Amino acid sequence: MTRDPGIYSHAQLRERGYDIPGLRRGVASGDLIRLRHGWFAIRTHDPEAAAAVKAGGALACVSAMRWHGLWVPPGYAETHIRRTRRSRGRGLSCSAIGGPYPVTGPVDPVTLALACAARCMTAEDWVASCDSHLSSVGIDAAEFLKTLGHPGDSRLKKLLAMTDPSSQSGTESIARVRLKALGYHVISQPSVPGVGHVDLRVGALLIECDSVQHHTDLAAYQRDRARDRKAVVAGWITFRLTYDDVLYGWDETLRDIRAVTGRGRHRARGAQMRGVLAESLQADAAESAARRAAAVEAAD
């Protein structure tokens, strides 16, 4: 269901049956609030979007991403606005890669918001938020650019190459990006026989990344501990990272990961572990083949 910020242009209100006298009566009664020339809000409007429109633009960039429900890491509390070219509003205005794009509504579409945020967010934060979008709508990087209607610049293409639509949480995305930047060979959402899918795998090391809300779900807590036990019995090494471990305690977390990988304990040694790892690789290959076949069938 698409959210409605409760903010409309003069033309949109005309389509809803408001003529000039009706607009005046609506403003006089308080049913309509005039934000700027040609733009009005109803009583139950979104205040942040209204502030952006009143300032001469639209809610954009990180703020629009959050409004659309994308996962946004902490550190971006300020309101981001993309102003029209003729706007004289004070403060900074975000601009999208491939622009300028016209301001046509009170809140920028998700793809346009991400194209703005590529300039405002750190690389790992942007990738985590973009993963959230790609996963929720079921598209990949190439389809993202088609939606944007622009081939993208070198920075945007580099960022999109780091995304992974299979990611299940922002903490997983950030951990993956950080580990890959350090040279680790990271597999996302591998299938582990007897355990199921896990967030990340580095050799025989399985890494699960819990979201900030995860600890409140007792059933998930119990299920995850059972999965961890099965993984250990099968010969895997398991790490379960919390939201705080990734966002605020990464230095210590990385020391622990290096304590395992630095000694080579994550490498598949022995016939049993090599067999378990081979099973996981075969399961991943089978799932990839099934997805490709489904995509071809859908295209036909």
Side-chain angles (χ1 to χ4, degrees):
M1 182 176 178
T2 303
R3 289 183 64 191
D4 185 347
I7 300 167
Y8 311 101
S9 66
H10 189 177
Q12 289 171 325
L13 288 175
R14 282 202 307 270
E15 293 174 356
R16 288 169 171 250
Y18 282 89
D19 55 14
I20 297 299
L23 284 176
R24 290 173 179 164
R25 287 194 297 271
V27 171
S29 67
D31 290 335
L32 293 176
I33 303 163
R34 193 187 304 274
L35 299 177
R36 72 168 194 261
H37 179 71
W39 286 91
F40 302 82
I42 60 175
R43 290 179 185 269
T44 56
H45 64 272
D46 182 279
E48 190 176 29
V53 173
K54 192 171 184 178
L59 195 67
C61 195
V62 181
S63 300
M65 289 159 52
R66 188 181 293 113
W67 189 88
H68 285 293
L70 269 65
W71 185 83
V72 176
Y76 302 95
E78 70 277 13
T79 298
H80 289 245
I81 299 171
R82 190 173 63 86
R83 291 189 172 86
T84 64
R85 283 194 249 179
R86 293 179 294 177
S87 172
R88 297 180 181 178
R90 296 180 180 178
L92 296 176
S93 175
C94 295
S95 61
I97 290 172
Y101 297 90
V103 175
T104 58
V107 182
D108 274 349
V110 175
T111 306
L112 187 53
L114 281 161
C116 277
R119 300 182 188 273
C120 292
M121 301 177 80
T122 66
E124 64 182 32
D125 286 353
W126 188 90
V127 169
S129 293
C130 192
D131 278 355
S132 171
H133 171 59
L134 299 180
S135 176
S136 65
V137 299
I139 64 173
D140 59 16
E143 291 169 307
F144 174 93
L145 289 175
K146 286 182 183 178
T147 304
L148 181 62
H150 185 272
D153 65 359
S154 59
R155 173 174 170 76
L156 184 57
K157 289 179 179 178
K158 181 179 178 181
L159 289 171
L160 283 169
M162 298 164 63
T163 60
D164 187 340
S166 69
S167 178
Q168 298 297 300
S169 71
T171 48
E172 176 191 334
S173 296
I174 289 178
R176 182 191 77 242
V177 170
R178 289 176 177 175
L179 290 172
K180 284 191 172 184
L182 292 169
Y184 285 98
H185 180 60
V186 184
I187 306 297
S188 298
Q189 291 296 317
S191 178
V192 179
V195 177
H197 285 91
V198 299
D199 291 336
L200 305 171
R201 180 171 67 75
V202 179
L205 172 62
L206 305 181
I207 301 176
E208 296 275 34
C209 305
D210 295 342
S211 66
V212 68
Q213 298 92 357
H214 192 84
H215 68 282
T216 63
D217 188 339
L218 180 58
Y221 179 91
Q222 294 173 332
R223 183 172 61 250
D224 289 344
R225 270 59 195 174
R227 280 160 47 92
D228 291 347
R229 291 197 308 273
K230 293 180 183 299
V232 171
V233 169
W236 299 95
I237 303 169
T238 62
F239 271 17
R240 185 165 294 277
L241 306 182
T242 67
Y243 176 89
D244 286 353
D245 288 335
V246 176
L247 271 294
Y248 304 113
W250 181 251
D251 289 345
E252 182 178 353
T253 298
L254 182 58
R255 282 197 296 271
D256 292 341
I257 292 173
R258 281 175 166 160
V260 172
T261 60
R263 298 170 188 161
R265 291 166 57 193
H266 67 301
R267 302 191 186 282
R269 291 174 177 162
Q272 179 186 356
M273 194 61 236
R274 285 196 295 270
V276 169
L277 189 57
E279 281 187 68
S280 177
L281 292 172
Q282 289 169 2
D284 287 340
E287 289 188 4
S288 295
R291 283 195 297 269
R292 287 194 297 271
V296 170
E297 185 177 348
D300 294 340

